[in-house]
Amino acid sequence: MSGSLEGSTMISNNVLEVAKSILFIVGSAVAAMIAFRNSLHSYIEMFWGASHDFWGALWKYIFAKFGNNEMLAYLVGTPIIGILSFLIFNAAFLCCDITGRPTWLLKYKVQDKNQPVDQKKLWKAIKTSSFNLLIINPLFTMVCYPIGKYLGAYHSGTLPTFEWFIVEIIVFSLFEEVFFYYSHRLLHSPKFYAKYHKKHHEWQAPIGITSVYCGKLEMVCSNLLPLSIGPLVMKSHVFTSWIWVSLVIFSTTLAHGGYHVPYLFSPEAHDYHHKVYNCWYGTLGILDRLHKTDRPFKGSVEERRHYVSFSLTPVRELIPDPPKHCRTPSPRQCSSNTEQSAD
């Protein structure tokens, strides 16, 4: 009886902690948005809300290039935005992975592996990633368009206000956290791992382009679907969706990139996931905290490095590796479904 009460209390505490995390994220974003709007109102009007703002003019220009055809803009523009974002954000990392230049970037490497990157392995990743971006991505977009139209999404007309855009991005992030966490964790179960997800984990020290190095099912269910749920539910303007797609590709490129570059998001958590396989399944860490799948990460040197660095000194120098006999946790300390059990 006491055991069940302790279990219920623990679950309640976890739910409370997650609720606090969500409130903190949303509350901070709203407070920052209000402060930003109040202090920089004229700039916001210039770049977002006014009739002659930069983004509105840019959207009208792009939409005109598609003949003011909203179906064409969505079906062609959306995959193109994804492909261009992927190429642009991966260019510097991939160049450094292949050539070792620029040399200043190398000192920000998270792991010592893959330098220089194995050419045969890289070519395999390029072929798979290209297929997912050039074939699976457009096909998925074709499925999403009629669903969006049915739900009431609009792909032409004026852009949303700056405030509503921020609200949408927050909601998109929460939807992505939920759908990515559970789909990703399911792929790590013994029943699905070897067949559907092990391919992605061939890279224990990932590089940027491996963010979409995966099978077709994983690409749809764990990459594209979590990305698309928010805009569909929120009936978002296609231009908002394009910005969201670019932000997600930027984020996942950093997460897989293998470089902890100053002033950019930390890749330490997801890089750690690739090292030990079964911890840190989500994007924001909210559900990992709820389900305690962040436990192996807690207390590790990688967790101490998991922050946005504002120093040009690499975090590996600021927080050096401990002696080998002190390094924790090992893969055996991860949650129950390890790679070995999946095999």
Side-chain angles (χ1 to χ4, degrees):
M1 181 71 175
S2 60
S4 62
L5 287 174
E6 289 177 3
S8 299
T9 302
M10 186 178 296
I11 292 172
S12 299
N13 290 337
N14 290 339
V15 172
L16 183 60
E17 287 298 315
V18 170
K20 288 179 180 178
S21 298
I22 294 174
L23 287 174
F24 176 77
I25 292 171
V26 175
S28 299
V30 171
M33 179 185 73
I34 293 172
F36 184 69
R37 177 176 172 78
N38 290 340
S39 60
L40 300 173
H41 181 76
S42 61
Y43 294 99
I44 293 171
E45 290 299 312
M46 182 186 300
F47 285 102
W48 195 271
S51 59
H52 300 292
D53 71 282
F54 170 76
W55 297 109
L58 178 62
W59 163 245
K60 290 176 183 177
Y61 174 79
I62 294 173
F63 194 49
K65 291 296 181 182
F66 288 104
N68 294 321
N69 186 318
E70 64 176 58
M71 183 172 74
L72 191 64
Y74 188 94
L75 294 179
V76 177
T78 305
I80 287 177
I81 290 295
I83 293 166
L84 288 178
S85 298
F86 187 85
L87 292 175
I88 292 169
F89 296 145
N90 276 283
F93 289 158
L94 188 58
C95 179
C96 194
D97 290 329
I98 296 173
T99 68
R101 296 176 183 275
T103 54
W104 63 264
L105 186 57
L106 283 177
K107 66 182 181 180
Y108 297 112
K109 258 293 197 183
V110 176
Q111 297 190 52
D112 295 324
K113 299 177 181 178
N114 294 336
Q115 191 57 48
V117 69
D118 182 275
Q119 297 295 312
K120 185 176 180 181
K121 196 176 178 182
L122 175 63
W123 180 239
K124 182 182 176 184
I126 289 174
K127 287 193 292 184
T128 299
S129 300
S130 298
F131 178 83
N132 284 333
L133 284 172
L134 298 175
I135 305 299
I136 302 300
N137 181 32
L139 290 175
F140 183 83
T141 303
M142 291 175 65
V143 174
C144 285
Y145 179 75
I147 296 174
K149 292 297 290 182
Y150 176 78
L151 293 174
Y154 64 108
H155 308 304
S156 61
T158 57
L159 300 178
T161 63
F162 177 80
E163 292 85 352
W164 185 246
F165 168 77
I166 295 298
V167 169
E168 286 187 299
I169 294 298
I170 293 171
V171 173
F172 295 170
S173 300
L174 295 176
F175 269 112
E176 187 195 24
E177 166 74 355
V178 172
F179 281 89
F180 180 73
Y181 178 90
Y182 289 113
S183 64
H184 188 195
R185 191 169 182 183
L186 183 64
L187 287 170
H188 273 267
S189 66
K191 187 174 181 180
F192 296 104
Y193 179 84
K195 187 174 181 180
Y196 298 112
H197 193 50
K198 190 174 182 179
K199 183 184 188 75
H200 183 67
H201 275 279
E202 289 174 8
W203 292 77
Q204 285 186 291
I207 61 174
I209 64 167
T210 61
S211 59
V212 291
Y213 175 66
C214 57
K216 294 181 281 293
L217 182 69
E218 179 179 351
M219 182 66 183
V220 171
C221 296
S222 197
N223 289 340
L224 295 173
L225 188 60
L227 168 71
S228 305
I229 291 292
L232 288 174
V233 171
M234 296 295 288
K235 307 175 185 178
S236 299
H237 193 289
V238 67
F239 194 74
T240 303
S241 300
W242 288 353
I243 296 176
W244 166 242
V245 166
S246 299
L247 289 173
V248 171
I249 292 176
F250 179 62
S251 174
T252 193
T253 298
L254 292 179
H256 290 86
Y259 296 89
H260 195 152
V261 182
Y263 306 104
L264 297 180
F265 300 130
S266 166
E268 301 286 348
H270 195 74
D271 194 272
Y272 191 79
H273 169 79
H274 272 262
K275 279 205 297 188
V276 302
Y277 297 102
N278 281 18
C279 50
W280 203 275
Y281 298 100
T283 55
L284 302 176
I286 295 173
L287 291 174
D288 283 289
R289 187 171 184 177
L290 173 64
H291 296 293
K292 296 194 178 298
T293 46
D294 62 342
R295 275 183 174 178
F297 188 61
K298 285 187 174 181
S300 65
V301 67
E302 288 83 359
E303 185 200 29
R304 292 170 57 205
R305 295 170 178 164
H306 189 48
Y307 63 93
V308 176
S309 174
F310 295 101
S311 170
L312 295 180
T313 303
V315 292
R316 290 185 67 181
E317 293 181 17
L318 294 172
I319 307 174
D321 289 330
K324 287 187 178 181
H325 66 278
C326 295
R327 291 182 188 178
T328 57
S330 70
R332 288 182 296 175
Q333 290 175 284
C334 287
S335 53
S336 58
N337 298 325
T338 62
E339 187 207 24
Q340 288 77 16
S341 66
D343 289 340

